Amino acid sequence: MQYGQQVHALTVYLNVAHFVPLERTSEILQALCRARPSDGTIALNLNLAADRLQDFESHLRTALTQQPVLHADETGSRVNGKLQWMHVVSCAQLTFYGQHARRGRAALEDMKILPKYKGILVHDAWSSYFKLPAQHALCGAHLLRELRGLAEHHGQVWAGDLREALRTVYHELKAGTLSPEARTAFERRFDELLEEGLLANPAAPPVPGRRGPTKQSHGRNLALRCQQHRCAVLLFLHDRRVPFDNNQAERDVRSWCVKRKVSGGFRSAEGGQNFARIRSYISTLQKQGRSVWEGLVSVFTGDVLMPNFNP
């Protein structure tokens, strides 16, 4: 049986936009269209859509490298029952997803965006990001959660004080009431509290006979990280383009977590990569207020509806 372009688009729309598994997609098509495409037919539609979106992905990569601020994050993604990783690089109007077997540098190189990006990259302090040439900004929401855990579960007074100071200066900055004097006072207090944190968490002595660095407490590691990356932690105070948190990337990652819960992982690495490219297209259209349905139909008519790459 031959299917029309809208039926092909509908299979992709259900599977990628709404995370409906292949078998259930067939059932829905049978109920709506009196035709039941096989899993193989739906997979071919996904392959065809991904192939026709190669040009979109190329333009998307270029557009993202030109943005002043980008957000990055990653989450687990199963392929044939094995753990792989889905990476996201995004801004308010553009989204790129990349499926890869690795979490670190190899995946970032394969995505061909961040290794040549020179703007501001907001992330959650994963070590691989610090090897990139971007200017770094660390997620304040992650830091607040870590400080709260130290204060409430480990009795670290300095962590509670630093959390409260961070919250106060953020809300003053957001309200436009933060004076230069208050900013300077906060930064001085920030440094003092980190020193208190190091005193409260002395360095663990080396373990006889064990190679490598000695494992330190979470409190000490957090204080050292904030000292080492002080500029990245406090960049939101000095550059109004920089948000306090990494919510943009976390919102973009959340859809992938929903997909994982609803329909599980992928049968092959190629399937994951195809899904990522199509999902990049769908997310970008959604952010720009464009019709996802019209976009997917255009993919199968051969005249792909392109989003705005210079939002």
Side-chain angles (χ1 to χ4, degrees), residues 33 51 80 176 214 232 289:
C33 307
D51 183 65
N80 260 339
T214 304

Side-chain angles (χ1 to χ4, degrees), residues 3-115:
Y3 302 107
Q5 295 156 348
Q6 292 194 352
V7 173
H8 291 307
L10 184 56
T11 62
V12 176
Y13 181 72
L14 290 172
N15 182 256
V16 183
H18 294 285
F19 315 123
V20 180
L22 298 182
E23 185 176 353
R24 286 173 55 198
T25 297
S26 295
E27 293 175 0
I28 293 172
L29 265 293
Q30 184 178 35
L32 295 178
C33 307
R34 303 288 182 174
R36 186 184 180 108
S38 66
D39 288 3
T41 298
I42 299 173
L44 286 174
N45 289 339
L46 295 170
N47 291 341
L48 179 60
D51 183 65
R52 291 184 177 179
L53 288 172
Q54 288 187 55
D55 194 40
F56 155 77
E57 187 176 80
S58 177
H59 286 297
L60 178 63
R61 284 191 171 104
T62 301
L64 284 168
T65 59
Q66 297 170 353
Q67 299 302 308
V69 180
L70 288 180
H71 298 255
D73 204 356
E74 68 287 327
T75 189
S77 179
R78 293 281 174 180
V79 176
N80 260 339
K82 296 182 179 179
L83 179 63
Q84 292 198 7
W85 296 91
M86 190 289 302
H87 297 259
V88 63
V89 178
S90 64
C91 61
Q93 298 291 315
L94 304 168
T95 308
F96 178 93
Y97 291 107
Q99 174 83 17
H100 201 275
R102 301 293 181 87
R103 185 182 183 186
R105 180 74 182 189
L108 302 181
E109 292 282 357
D110 191 60
M111 290 162 61
K112 300 176 184 177
I113 298 173
L114 297 180

Side-chain angles (χ1 to χ4, degrees), residues 68-69 119-122 134-140 166 173 183 186-187 190 229-244:
V69 180
I120 298 169
L121 181 64
V122 185
Q135 183 181 3
H136 301 280
L138 297 187
C139 175
L166 268 171
L173 181 67
R183 179 187 290 112
F186 164 76
E187 293 193 56
F190 180 84
H229 302 293
R230 182 181 186 276
C231 291
V233 173
L234 301 182
L235 188 59
F236 76 95
L237 284 175
H238 304 282
D239 192 329
R240 296 303 299 266
R241 298 174 300 171
V242 179
F244 178 72

Side-chain angles (χ1 to χ4, degrees), residues 7 23 27 29 48 81 83 94 125 130 148 160 163-164 172 182 198 207-208 211 213 219 236 240 245-246 255 262 285:
V7 173
E23 185 176 353
E27 293 175 0
L29 265 293
L48 179 60
L83 179 63
L94 304 168
F130 286 116
R148 180 177 181 177
R163 180 175 183 270
E164 188 58 35
E172 289 180 357
L198 293 176
V207 178
R211 295 181 179 179
F236 76 95
R240 296 303 299 266
D245 53 46
N246 195 25
S255 65
V262 172
L285 289 180

Side-chain angles (χ1 to χ4, degrees), residues 241-256:
R241 298 174 300 171
V242 179
F244 178 72
D245 53 46
N246 195 25
N247 282 352
Q248 179 65 67
E250 292 181 356
R251 286 194 299 269
D252 292 326
V253 159
R254 193 171 298 126
S255 65
W256 211 270

Side-chain angles (χ1 to χ4, degrees), residues 13 17 281-283 285-286 290-297 305:
Y13 181 72
Y281 180 65
I282 289 173
S283 177
L285 289 180
Q286 288 174 330
R290 310 290 292 274
S291 170
V292 173
W293 171 246
E294 291 179 6
L296 290 176
V297 171
L305 173 66

